[in-house]
Amino acid sequence: MYDPPMDKTANGFRRGRPENFRPERFQHLPDDKKKLLCSCPLSQPLYLGAVLAIWSFTVVADVRKILFLMELMFFRTPLVDSYRDMLERNDKDRTMRLMGLTRSVKWVLFFVMFLPRLAIDIVLIWLGCRWLVATASFGDVLLNAMALEFLLLLKDLFYTAVVPHRDKLETKQMLIPSNKEDEPTYFGYL
């Protein structure tokens, strides 16, 4: 569909120049090539844009959860001096209250839980969008988007399958007090 000369890309492929593009040559292509070109997701930008937007919103929602948990653990949870001061058990209503976290526990949470999740989300949104754009057919775009969603939710599957029910119940019943008042801020809208 392009007249010579052609440029060579950094990956070694040939790329035609815009001034040498001849759209009338599309009519002379074999039918199987026409069908392949028309079934490419880039031929329907609204469809591909909707799938990319849904995928991006899914990753952004996960990033918001991470940022909320980071704010809760680092800024809203008080700093305590000893591991013994971290939890307080209330046998009356069978709850645990998180009184605070030591500085070392906060750093471990950051490097073991929050930083890897943020890195995974950044990589997944970048590579996921590239992978979805490079997909060859419409049906495969949806299948690939579902595969990406599976990768994003794999942590929840592991939690459900591996963590004992008692630990999940104790985590659900744990109360986390806040040492800050909720005030309307710009960060609250993100």
Side-chain angles (χ1 to χ4, degrees):
M1 303 222 359
Y2 287 92
D3 286 335
M6 294 194 182
D7 298 326
K8 212 168 207 178
T9 66
N11 298 326
F13 296 106
R14 294 181 317 178
R15 178 174 291 158
R17 295 181 179 169
E19 63 270 9
N20 297 336
F21 180 61
R22 305 290 176 256
E24 61 275 2
R25 290 188 180 171
F26 182 77
Q27 300 302 325
H28 303 294
L29 289 174
D31 288 340
D32 60 331
K33 296 264 188 196
K34 288 181 188 177
K35 185 177 179 183
L36 179 66
L37 287 172
C38 290
S39 68
C40 173
L42 286 173
S43 68
Q44 298 295 326
L46 291 177
Y47 172 76
L48 182 63
V51 172
L52 289 175
I54 291 169
W55 168 243
S56 299
F57 291 151
T58 304
V59 176
V60 167
D62 194 56
V63 169
R64 287 184 67 180
K65 286 180 198 173
I66 296 167
L67 293 177
F68 171 74
L69 289 173
M70 284 177 65
E71 180 189 6
L72 184 66
M73 291 296 144
F74 290 117
F75 302 115
R76 293 181 176 260
T77 304
L79 194 63
V80 295
D81 295 326
S82 170
Y83 292 107
R84 292 182 188 148
D85 300 332
M86 286 178 28
L87 293 175
E88 180 181 275
R89 178 180 293 271
N90 186 348
D91 292 326
K92 189 176 187 180
D93 57 0
R94 299 178 58 125
T95 59
M96 295 284 286
R97 184 176 174 149
L98 182 66
M99 301 307 293
L101 295 172
T102 62
R103 183 166 280 128
S104 60
V105 169
K106 288 186 178 193
W107 283 108
V108 167
L109 282 173
F110 179 75
F111 283 111
V112 173
M113 189 170 98
F114 298 127
L115 189 63
R117 277 185 67 184
L118 279 174
I120 288 170
D121 281 350
I122 290 168
V123 168
L124 274 178
I125 198 165
W126 173 250
L127 292 179
C129 286
R130 289 184 62 179
W131 188 39
L132 290 172
V133 168
T135 303
S137 69
F138 294 122
D140 289 343
V141 169
L142 286 177
L143 288 174
N144 288 344
M146 289 171 45
L148 288 168
E149 172 78 9
F150 172 76
L151 289 175
L152 196 62
L153 296 178
L154 202 56
K155 65 185 179 324
D156 299 329
L157 176 66
F158 283 140
Y159 178 76
T160 303
V162 174
V163 175
H165 179 70
R166 179 175 179 232
D167 292 345
K168 287 188 265 189
L169 191 61
E170 284 182 355
T171 303
K172 193 182 289 186
Q173 292 175 344
M174 182 178 291
L175 303 173
I176 303 175
S178 176
N179 66 353
K180 285 178 67 177
E181 292 293 324
D182 279 331
E183 297 175 6
T185 62
Y186 174 74
F187 183 74
Y189 291 105
L190 294 179

